[in-house]
Amino acid sequence: AWTGAYHFSGTTWLWPGGGAITWPNWVSGAPDGSGGTCASMDPTNGLWSDAACSAVLPFVCEQATF
């Protein structure tokens, strides 16, 4: 599933709104740059990996609290 996080520059990954990721949950060895510039999450364990942004995956949305 897409998390919305993307590779900005160097080792910097950001959320769609431009905020820094303060709690990454990368699978061991990721991101390694070979997968792509978007972060995907394995729904069975919650771990992230870098993936090609063109991959067709479900997505996770943030819900605002009111």
Side-chain angles (χ1 to χ4, degrees):
W2 291 122
T3 63
Y6 65 96
H7 182 229
F8 178 70
S9 176
T11 59
T12 303
W13 286 72
L14 300 174
W15 292 116
I21 295 174
T22 57
W23 186 78
N25 196 31
W26 297 110
V27 67
S28 179
D32 62 7
S34 68
T37 57
C38 290
S40 64
M41 179 187 69
D42 182 335
T44 63
N45 60 21
L47 296 176
W48 302 359
S49 60
D50 46 336
C53 298
S54 60
V56 177
L57 297 172
F59 51 89
V60 177
C61 293
E62 177 182 17
Q63 180 176 345
T65 53
F66 297 97

